[in-house]
């Protein structure tokens, strides 16, 4: 007897048949004596469809209205799943974010969860009903406005709910068998990882692996809620994302992540004096745009070049924001490059092994790949390369750290 939170992604509830399949899985776990909170995404493609509708009507629809619109997708799949569960004889109730008291800040389309009051959930659970919660959405307490948590946000709803109801387990069901050493579509011999630390998963998610939303892993780490990622359609243990264990350090590199949706902005000829970088990045931060790698050259003649990367989707907005700043700080011009990609190697083992970056750079050099920017942390090395060479770079790094081979137990 356990309290389990199960999250089913869009592809798991993509059709009525799949919803019935999910319902049978939920019924089975429930009939084994467990209490269950199910969190669902919108049916696959639905969120994109809704966004597309809005874009047909307006170039820049209000973010408040976008949240009203997008949150409806999850409401549909939650109700359909509850209907199916009841039909199968398992008492179930669906809830919106507002109904379970999912309180967020006021930042539309990327709201952060502040707390979950959860009375309705607790009541329903005392009666041993299955609770089906619409993921991805919350409510801004001050205004009562509906908010959404950013693309992929149902993962975060699930982990946050697991923490709030003190679940024994948080399972994220998806259309792949777990977390892989890299995307098997790019490197066919990519291997499923059995166990990975929160920190590595955090890096992987923020560096481009799409399997979990970054904030869901942050929640897991902060409240030490282990997350099991597994397939809805196939048997298997999946991947356990959990607190770091000593043995994990024996694997130097655990995964290669990559992101294609990046763009580089360069401010050319920026005066090299105090306060300039602060002004530039404050302008960007005010629009809640996530800046990633930043490089400032050594100055020549009192001028320097400053480059940074951002998500490609934010390029237009960032250019707009900076057009004023560029002239105010006296920079010569602003250049952009959309043909870039980012590849990263990740592993907690890097903390205790040296020469990892050198090995990665040598492998890329042998493959004739030019590195445009580099950034490192204790457990990752990231390189910006040309987007056309990204897949090749991923393969090279995956191979040179032997990630296709089973992990040696030490
Ligand atoms: N439906 C939302 C999206 O497509 C949230 C989610 O699936 O987690 O991003
Ligand atoms: Mg997802």
């Amino acid at each position: 007897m356990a309290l389990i939170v199960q999250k089913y992604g869009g592809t798991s509830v993509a059709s009525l048949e799949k919803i019935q399949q999910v319902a049978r899985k939920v019924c089975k776990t429930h009939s084994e004596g467990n209490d269950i909170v199910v969190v669902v995404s919108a049916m696959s493609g639905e969120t994109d469809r809704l966004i597309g509708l809005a874009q047909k009507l307006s170039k820049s629809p209000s973010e408040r209205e976008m949240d009203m619109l997008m949150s409806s997708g999850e409401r549909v799949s939650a109700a359909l799943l509850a209907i199916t569960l009841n039909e199968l004889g398992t008492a179930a109730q669906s809830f919106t974010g507002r109904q379970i008291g999912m309180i967020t800040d006021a930042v539309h389309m990327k709201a952060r969860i502040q707390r979950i009051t959860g009375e309705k959930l607790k009541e329903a659970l005392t009666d041993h009903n299955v609770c089906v919660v619409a993921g991805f959405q919350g409510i801004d307490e001050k205004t009562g406005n509906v908010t959404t948590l950013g693309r992929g946000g149902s993962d975060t709803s699930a982990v946050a709910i697991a923490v709030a109801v003190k679940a024994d387990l948080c399972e994220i069901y998806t259309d792949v068998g777990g977390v892989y050493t890299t995307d098997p579509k790019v490197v066919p011999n990519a291997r499923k990882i059995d166990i990975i630390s929160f920190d590595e998963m955090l890096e992987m998610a923020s560096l481009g692996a799409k399997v979990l939303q970054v904030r869901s892993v942050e929640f897991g780490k902060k409240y030490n809620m282990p997350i099991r990622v597994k397939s809805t359609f196939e048997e298997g243990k999946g991947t356990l994302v959990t607190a770091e264990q000593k043995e994990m350090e024996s694997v130097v590199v655990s995964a290669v992540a990559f992101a294609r949706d990046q763009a580089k902005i360069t401010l050319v000829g920026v005066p090299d004096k105090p306060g300039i970088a602060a002004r530039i990045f404050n302008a960007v931060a005010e629009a809640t745009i996530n800046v990633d790698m930043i490089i400032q050259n050594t100055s020549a003649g009192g001028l320097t070049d400053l480059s940074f990367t951002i998500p490609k989707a934010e390029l237009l907005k960032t250019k707009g924001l900076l057009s004023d700043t560029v002239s105010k700080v006296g920079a010569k011009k602003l250049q952009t490059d959309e043909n870039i990609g980012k590849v990263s190697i990740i592993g907690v083992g890097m903390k205790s092994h040296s020469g990892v970056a050198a090995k990665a750079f040598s492998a890329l050099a042998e493959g004739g790949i030019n590195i445009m920017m580099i950034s490192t942390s204790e457990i990752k090395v990231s390189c910006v390369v040309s987007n056309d060479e990204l897949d090749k770079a991923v393969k090279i790094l995956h191979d040179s750290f032997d990630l296709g081979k089973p992990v040696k137990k030490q």
Side-chain angles (χ1 to χ4, degrees), residues 261-266 289 308-323 334-340:
D261 48 0
Q262 303 286 298
K264 184 170 83 167
I265 293 192
T266 305
I289 291 168
F308 59 94
T309 61
I310 49 163
K312 204 184 270 178
E314 314 260 38
L315 184 59
L316 265 183
K317 193 168 165 188
T318 315
K319 263 168 92 174
L321 274 172
L322 286 178
S323 56
L334 184 140
Q335 277 173 352
T336 58
D337 184 354
E338 288 182 66
N339 184 29
I340 62 157

Side-chain angles (χ1 to χ4, degrees), residues 7-11 39-48 50-51 70-71 73-74 77 135-137 148-157 213:
K7 180 253 170 179
Y8 290 92
T11 47
V39 177
V40 284
S41 290
M43 294 168 83
S44 168
E46 180 62 7
T47 310
D48 288 336
L50 294 169
I51 295 172
M70 289 192 293
S71 61
E74 271 69 12
S77 46
F136 180 50
Q137 55 188 273
T148 62
L149 308 178
R151 299 305 304 267
S154 302
D155 295 334
T156 305
S157 310
Q213 199 199 31

Side-chain angles (χ1 to χ4, degrees), residues 65-365:
E65 300 313 326
M66 286 309 289
D67 276 350
M68 278 298 280
L69 178 70
M70 289 192 293
S71 61
S72 68
E74 271 69 12
R75 198 163 163 161
V76 170
S77 46
L80 289 176
L81 180 59
I83 290 170
T84 319
L85 285 165
N86 287 321
E87 190 62 25
L88 294 177
T90 300
Q93 271 184 306
S94 64
F95 299 97
T96 62
R98 177 195 295 268
Q99 285 173 316
I100 64 153
M102 173 73 79
I103 311 292
T104 71
D105 62 16
V107 184
H108 282 295
M109 299 179 75
K110 352 181 177 171
R112 277 179 178 272
I113 299 173
Q114 290 177 334
R115 63 199 159 85
I116 302 174
T117 56
E119 282 92 25
K120 282 267 184 300
L121 273 185
K122 284 171 199 149
E123 272 169 37
L125 285 171
T126 344
D127 295 337
H128 299 291
N129 287 343
V130 173
C131 301
V132 186
V133 180
F136 180 50
Q137 55 188 273
I139 174 183
D140 164 22
E141 208 171 21
K142 273 202 212 97
T143 57
N145 284 335
V146 173
T147 52
T148 62
L149 308 178
R151 299 305 304 267
S154 302
D155 295 334
T156 305
S157 310
V159 180
I161 290 170
V163 171
V165 300
K166 300 195 172 63
D168 298 295
L169 202 66
C170 181
E171 297 178 323
I172 305 276
Y173 284 94
T174 176
D175 53 356
V176 291
V179 179
Y180 282 74
T181 48
T182 196
D183 185 346
K185 285 189 211 108
V186 174
V187 184
N189 73 343
R191 197 177 34 78
K192 185 180 74 68
I193 301 170
D194 293 333
I195 182 165
I196 191 162
S197 67
F198 286 126
D199 284 331
E200 286 167 306
M201 194 63 232
L202 259 182
E203 292 284 8
M204 284 176 75
S206 29
L207 295 168
K210 301 240 159 48
V211 58
L212 284 177
Q213 199 199 31
V214 180
R215 284 186 191 164
S216 69
V217 190
E218 282 170 2
F219 255 99
K221 179 178 167 174
K222 185 162 175 200
Y223 297 100
N224 199 15
M225 170 61 63
I227 306 168
R228 194 172 278 286
V229 181
K230 55 206 279 200
S231 161
T232 308
F233 309 109
E234 284 164 26
E235 286 303 309
K237 285 216 165 91
T239 301
L240 182 67
V241 187
T242 186
E244 190 175 325
Q245 294 162 17
K246 195 74 201 123
E247 311 83 79
M248 290 176 174
E249 281 201 26
S250 64
V251 184
V252 183
V253 171
S254 305
V256 179
F258 59 91
R260 296 181 207 285
D261 48 0
Q262 303 286 298
K264 184 170 83 167
I265 293 192
T266 305
L267 287 134
V268 183
V270 185
D272 193 7
K273 44 181 205 212
I276 301 285
R279 274 167 80 176
I280 294 168
F281 291 108
N282 274 328
V284 181
E286 263 165 38
T288 62
I289 291 168
N290 246 336
V291 171
D292 184 26
M293 291 191 195
I294 302 175
I295 288 190
Q296 183 178 325
N297 287 335
T298 47
S299 62
L303 296 179
T304 178
D305 294 344
L306 190 72
S307 300
F308 59 94
T309 61
I310 49 163
K312 204 184 270 178
E314 314 260 38
L315 184 59
L316 265 183
K317 193 168 165 188
T318 315
K319 263 168 92 174
L321 274 172
L322 286 178
S323 56
D324 237 19
T325 320
V326 168
S327 49
K328 276 197 200 132
V329 299
K332 289 220 168 75
K333 61 176 176 193
L334 184 140
Q335 277 173 352
T336 58
D337 184 354
E338 288 182 66
N339 184 29
I340 62 157
K342 186 172 52 175
V343 61
S344 313
I345 49 173
I346 297 147
V348 285
M350 284 184 205
K351 288 193 260 188
S352 49
H353 293 75
S354 55
V356 183
K359 183 170 169 185
F361 301 152
S362 309
L364 291 174

Side-chain angles (χ1 to χ4, degrees), residues 17 19 31 64 75 85 101 133 235 278 336 373 382:
E17 290 70 32
I19 291 179
S31 66
R64 178 189 184 278
R75 198 163 163 161
L85 285 165
V133 180
E235 286 303 309
T336 58
M373 294 166 101
S382 298

